[in-house]
Amino acid sequence: MEFNVKKLASDAGVFFSRAMQFTEEKLGQAEKTELDAHFENLLARADCTKNWTEKILRQTEVLLQPNPSARVEEFLYEKLDRKVPSRVTNGELLAQYMTEAANDFGPGTPYGKTLIKVGETQRRLGAAEREFIHSASINFLTPLRNFLEGDWRTISKERRILQNRRLDLDACKARLKKAKAAEAKAAAVPDFQETRPRNYVLSASASALWSDEVEKAEHELRLTQTEFDRQAEVTRLLLEGISSTHVNHLRCLHEFVESQTNYYAQCYQFMLDLQKQLGSSKGEIFSGTFVGNADSTSPAAAPSPPAVAAATLPAVPTIPVVPTIVGVPNTVAEGVLNPNEVKPPASGTRKARVLYDYEAADSTELALLADEMITVYSLPGMDPDWLIGERGNQKGKVPVTYLELLS
């Protein structure tokens, strides 16, 4: 118990000495031992590595798991040293919903068949995403975490020890400086003016005491200097190991890119296969949709004239079948848009901001660039998924899903 009390008192004294030295340095009242330029560069490089590694780690986690609640759950499981439960990916969940919807609508219907095909592709995409997340977590995230939780903690610990050794060294330098100044003062100004010789004896004794204090301070300075040099060398070796960390992280980064490349290649191939499966039925679906829209928006056709009368009229009987809409050319009502014949309505035009680039499929459509502003309006008889867009002297059909309509 006595030893512990003495140790506690000694530690408290050391802490107080360091605190005084640190405070005086901040106030500019004490000198500070400066590290060499190479050592300072190593410290700055280590801090830079730590900061950017943390940012890259956090953002990669966001990329792999955008849901913050799921990330918190995984973090808690990791800290509790428990296995993270398997979680269904968004693609796999979407595939499940599409399959269930197809069963309700009827797997034999065109919509049901398409839902089944798209759902199967979404399931494969979800499985590929799961594999990519697992590979990226092992090959990229784990090495970054190991550096922050292992090597960097060791470096930080040794840097704190070095900082304490430096404070002890500077405190010893300050004590030696004060002891020498007091010794010189005591030796240069002895008290000869006093009539009693006892005062002179006391003055000589004080000079001897300060000489002993100087020797003691020099001894402590040599010890602290040795400890500081040893700790500086240990810290230097750890800081120089940052170069090896960069090499390791570079290898992990290559593995991450390779995993990401394989993932996107798989996704691209899955979508190509799905596009081929839907290619044959796509034209029929859109054709049926267009005919259905045209039938629903067109007025009832006039009764067909007798066959004999039709034979005597070249093409005139077809004109009354097409509805005539004021301000809208017949080509729009027939489903074929000629941009040169379209005139904007007197009212009803709006401004819209383009969300994504769009490449025109034919001359009736208007190519779009992301973030540009265009004027849009609708015409009677048009597909509700399309609008007429104008940009300067150019005009054409534009898809509504690529636009953000502004008030």
Side-chain angles (χ1 to χ4, degrees):
M1 184 63 183
E2 182 181 0
F3 173 77
N4 293 335
V5 172
K6 290 182 178 180
K7 185 177 185 302
L8 180 62
S10 176
D11 293 341
V14 171
F15 176 79
F16 182 72
S17 175
R18 292 171 180 172
M20 285 187 57
Q21 179 65 27
F22 182 80
T23 304
E24 291 177 355
E25 288 177 358
K26 291 298 182 182
L27 297 177
Q29 299 176 358
E31 297 181 358
K32 176 181 177 181
T33 300
E34 299 292 342
L35 302 172
D36 60 88
H38 176 64
F39 201 97
E40 293 289 351
N41 290 335
L42 291 177
L43 291 174
R45 188 186 186 198
D47 291 335
C48 184
T49 301
K50 180 255 184 181
N51 293 334
W52 283 115
T53 301
E54 286 182 337
K55 292 180 180 179
I56 292 173
L57 175 63
R58 286 196 299 266
Q59 194 57 39
T60 306
E61 291 174 341
V62 173
L63 173 67
L64 299 180
Q65 179 52 264
N67 189 346
S69 300
R71 292 201 303 272
V72 172
E73 180 182 356
E74 293 176 357
F75 175 78
L76 293 178
Y77 273 102
E78 181 182 352
K79 291 302 180 182
L80 296 175
D81 197 16
R82 298 179 60 183
K83 184 179 179 181
V84 180
S86 179
R87 184 179 288 106
V88 178
T89 62
N90 294 328
E92 293 172 330
L93 186 60
L94 178 59
Q96 178 183 346
Y97 290 163
M98 286 185 171
T99 304
E100 294 176 357
N103 293 332
D104 286 343
F105 296 147
T109 62
Y111 186 34
K113 291 180 180 179
T114 304
L115 280 174
I116 291 176
K117 294 178 181 178
V118 177
E120 177 61 21
T121 301
Q122 294 299 326
R123 185 192 64 78
R124 298 170 68 186
L125 291 174
E129 180 185 3
R130 181 192 301 275
E131 182 181 354
F132 165 63
I133 293 175
H134 178 72
S135 176
S137 178
I138 294 178
N139 298 328
F140 189 61
L141 294 183
T142 299
L144 297 185
R145 290 197 190 99
N146 291 339
F147 166 72
L148 294 174
E149 298 176 0
D151 295 347
W152 180 252
R153 287 186 178 180
T154 303
I155 292 175
S156 300
K157 176 183 176 182
E158 297 301 329
R159 287 177 65 176
R160 288 193 297 268
I161 295 176
L162 178 64
Q163 174 73 357
N164 292 334
R165 294 288 184 267
R166 186 195 63 76
L167 291 174
D168 294 341
L169 176 63
D170 291 336
C172 287
K173 289 180 179 179
R175 284 197 297 270
L176 178 60
K177 184 177 180 181
K178 292 178 181 179
K180 286 185 176 180
E183 180 189 24
K185 183 178 179 180
V189 189
D191 193 0
F192 290 109
Q193 299 178 358
E194 295 291 339
T195 56
R196 291 178 299 178
R198 179 172 177 273
N199 292 327
Y200 176 77
V201 173
L202 292 176
S203 177
S205 177
S207 178
L209 289 175
W210 282 117
S211 298
D212 294 340
E213 187 67 24
V214 168
E215 293 179 1
K216 182 180 178 181
E218 289 177 346
H219 177 70
E220 292 180 355
L221 179 60
R222 286 192 295 269
L223 293 178
T224 53
Q225 183 70 56
T226 302
E227 293 177 355
F228 173 77
D229 293 341
R230 184 186 300 111
Q231 185 61 35
E233 185 63 24
V234 172
T235 308
R236 184 192 301 273
L237 292 176
L238 290 174
L239 294 175
E240 290 176 349
I242 293 293
S243 299
S244 301
T245 301
H246 286 185
V247 173
N248 184 35
H249 289 181
L250 176 61
R251 178 183 58 80
C252 296
L253 184 60
H254 280 287
E255 294 179 356
F256 173 72
V257 172
E258 183 178 356
S259 299
Q260 198 171 29
T261 302
N262 294 335
Y263 167 63
Y264 285 118
Q266 288 179 345
C267 294
Y268 178 70
Q269 187 60 46
F270 293 158
M271 297 309 298
L272 282 182
D273 296 340
L274 177 62
Q275 192 176 34
K276 291 178 182 179
Q277 295 177 20
L278 302 180
S280 58
S281 59
K282 181 178 180 181
E284 298 176 2
I285 294 174
F286 287 145
S287 176
T289 303
F290 180 78
V291 171
N293 290 340
D295 292 342
S296 62
T297 56
S298 300
S304 301
V308 177
T312 60
L313 298 175
V316 177
T318 60
I319 297 177
V321 178
V322 180
T324 302
I325 303 174
V326 178
V328 182
N330 288 339
T331 53
V332 176
E334 295 174 359
V336 179
L337 175 66
N338 186 353
N340 295 326
E341 298 180 5
V342 173
K343 294 182 180 179
S347 61
T349 61
R350 300 178 64 178
K351 290 291 185 180
R353 184 176 69 88
V354 179
L355 299 176
Y356 320 102
D357 293 345
Y358 177 73
E359 184 177 354
D362 51 46
S363 60
T364 65
E365 297 181 0
L366 179 65
L368 303 175
L369 294 176
D371 294 329
E372 69 173 337
M373 303 294 294
I374 62 173
T375 302
V376 296
Y377 51 87
S378 179
L379 297 177
M382 283 190 62
D383 189 327
D385 294 334
W386 295 81
L387 293 173
I388 301 296
E390 289 189 0
R391 182 182 57 236
N393 296 328
Q394 299 177 335
K395 63 177 65 176
K397 294 192 301 180
V398 293
V400 176
T401 54
Y402 280 68
L403 304 175
E404 177 186 0
L405 298 180
L406 306 177
S407 58

